[in-house]
Amino acid sequence: MTSAISMSSRLMNVSGRETTSSVSHFILMGFPSGPKMQLLYFGLFSVAYTLTLMGNAAIAWAVWWDRHLHTPMYILLANFSLLEICYVTTTVPHMLANFLSTSKSISFVSCFAQFYFFFSFGCDEGFYLCIMAFDRCLAICRPLHYPCLMTRQLCTGLAIFGWSGGFIIFLTPVVLISQLPFCGPNIINHFVCDPVLLMMLSCSEDTTTQLVYSTLNRIFMIATFLFILCSYALVILAVLRMPSEAGKRKAFSTCASHLAVVTLFYGSVMVMYVSPGSGHPVKVQKIITLFYSVITPLCNPLIYSLRNKEMKDAALRKVLGTERPVHKT
């Protein structure tokens, strides 16, 4: 919290110094088109945003409501769903407002705040996918020791780290980029305040800031992706050794939903930020960003609910009213 407050005060100081930057706001072009297409975009993305909120909120509510789901796997899933809601809310509401706006402007501080929260929550998603892979690895590879290893204290600590890790990592890049001089132009050909485009708008080329940003991106993406791959490689080996076919099917079914989400998220993000020579055309950048910032959070609830028998059973119990929530005193 204090880091975020410190960041905000530094951003306001930067925006207030005319000698450093003469730009007080940016223009987010979004998806340039006629008024009718803008209304169509507004309708489509409004529906997608509403469904995303409803789907992820339903998962979080089902986990809270059903005591059968009060296990580390589902507690982490509920946190991941809440994280998805925060992640998509950092960009979509402003994008929807821009569809109905003629100015399409965003203030200097608001732009960097969006950049900070959007990429911090995105980073947190990567951490949560690692944590969920680690949880499944323990549960399947060490089933007898799992209750002793994945204690409530460890689960709580991992959940807190998953929420806070991204905010710590992205504090340095956002402060460095915000201190660059911006003299104009102030037009960002995107629907989010993308850091690469912000650095391109700077009056001076700061290679150190570019190096810090690109290095952090690559290290984070590659390290977390390799951790997830190694975790699921161990899981697959453990599943193949299981004597029971029913046990194999259940384990593969659970891991399949996790791997589907990992593929959707990392597939698009790594193409955008890690691929060599990532100078993608602007339209391609928008489509890729749209995929991992809007489409993936929309698909995740469907993947988890359709692939997971316990989630479907919890929803059925809730609809039929066959069980009431148990509150601990």
Side-chain angles (χ1 to χ4, degrees):
M1 181 64 73
T2 55
S3 299
I5 294 173
S6 174
M7 181 208 68
S8 299
S9 62
R10 295 184 70 173
L11 291 180
M12 287 187 286
N13 290 335
V14 170
S15 62
R17 290 201 301 265
E18 295 296 328
T19 56
T20 303
S21 175
S22 60
V23 172
S24 62
H25 68 280
F26 295 98
I27 306 296
L28 288 176
M29 291 185 65
F31 301 92
S33 58
K36 291 185 178 178
M37 284 301 297
Q38 292 287 300
L39 287 176
L40 177 61
Y41 288 146
F42 176 82
L44 290 175
F45 287 113
S46 294
V47 172
Y49 180 56
T50 302
L51 292 176
T52 301
L53 296 182
M54 292 174 61
N56 285 286
I59 289 179
W61 171 250
V63 173
W64 178 85
W65 181 87
D66 194 328
R67 65 182 179 85
H68 293 90
L69 303 182
H70 291 181
T71 62
M73 182 178 79
Y74 290 106
I75 290 172
L76 293 173
L77 176 58
N79 276 274
F80 184 75
S81 297
L82 293 175
L83 183 62
E84 290 278 51
I85 292 175
C86 296
Y87 179 56
V88 75
T89 301
T90 58
T91 56
V92 175
H94 192 275
M95 181 173 64
L96 293 176
N98 271 1
F99 286 137
L100 305 179
S101 170
T102 55
S103 65
K104 302 186 184 299
S105 66
I106 182 171
S107 71
F108 188 96
V109 175
S110 296
C111 185
F112 278 92
Q114 184 193 72
F115 158 35
Y116 178 58
F117 285 101
F118 176 63
F119 282 88
S120 295
F121 281 128
C123 191
D124 287 341
E125 284 208 16
F127 282 133
Y128 257 99
L129 290 174
C130 285
I131 293 169
M132 293 164 76
F134 173 70
D135 173 70
R136 289 301 84 204
C137 185
L138 283 183
I140 294 174
C141 297
R142 304 286 299 276
L144 297 179
H145 300 89
Y146 178 73
C148 299
L149 295 173
M150 185 55 73
T151 61
R152 176 173 294 185
Q153 290 78 10
L154 178 59
C155 184
T156 302
L158 291 174
I160 293 172
F161 173 75
W163 278 97
S164 60
F167 286 90
I168 297 171
I169 289 178
F170 262 93
L171 185 62
T172 299
V174 75
V175 171
L176 288 176
I177 297 174
S178 69
Q179 291 180 332
L180 295 175
F182 294 93
C183 312
N186 64 341
I187 298 175
I188 302 175
N189 191 7
H190 214 306
F191 61 89
V192 296
C193 290
D194 186 87
V196 175
L197 298 180
L198 284 169
M199 286 187 283
M200 291 174 62
L201 290 178
S202 174
C203 303
S204 64
E205 184 177 357
D206 190 333
T207 54
T208 302
T209 299
Q210 295 175 6
L211 180 63
V212 169
Y213 172 73
S214 61
T215 302
L216 278 176
N217 263 344
R218 284 172 169 79
I219 290 176
F220 169 76
M221 288 296 167
I222 294 173
T224 53
F225 186 63
L226 287 178
F227 180 88
I228 292 170
L229 285 183
C230 291
S231 297
Y232 282 112
L234 294 174
V235 167
I236 291 172
L237 290 175
V239 170
L240 293 177
R241 297 194 192 101
M242 290 181 177
S244 169
E245 290 298 324
K248 287 182 180 180
R249 285 195 298 270
K250 182 177 180 180
F252 272 127
S253 178
T254 302
C255 294
S257 59
H258 291 188
L259 286 173
V261 172
V262 169
T263 303
L264 283 174
F265 181 74
Y266 276 93
S268 55
V269 171
M270 293 185 77
V271 166
M272 185 72 173
Y273 295 104
V274 183
S275 60
S278 56
H280 303 293
V282 175
K283 290 184 178 179
V284 176
Q285 291 183 28
K286 291 181 184 179
I287 292 172
I288 296 174
T289 305
L290 192 68
F291 190 84
Y292 67 75
S293 65
V294 179
I295 306 302
T296 300
L298 173 64
C299 295
N300 287 352
L302 295 175
I303 294 171
Y304 280 117
S305 60
L306 292 177
R307 297 286 307 179
N308 194 289
K309 184 178 182 298
E310 284 80 2
M311 289 299 301
K312 288 185 284 188
D313 290 345
L316 182 62
R317 284 193 295 268
K318 188 175 187 302
V319 171
L320 297 178
T322 55
E323 184 174 299
R324 295 182 179 180
V326 175
H327 299 285
K328 296 182 180 180
T329 57

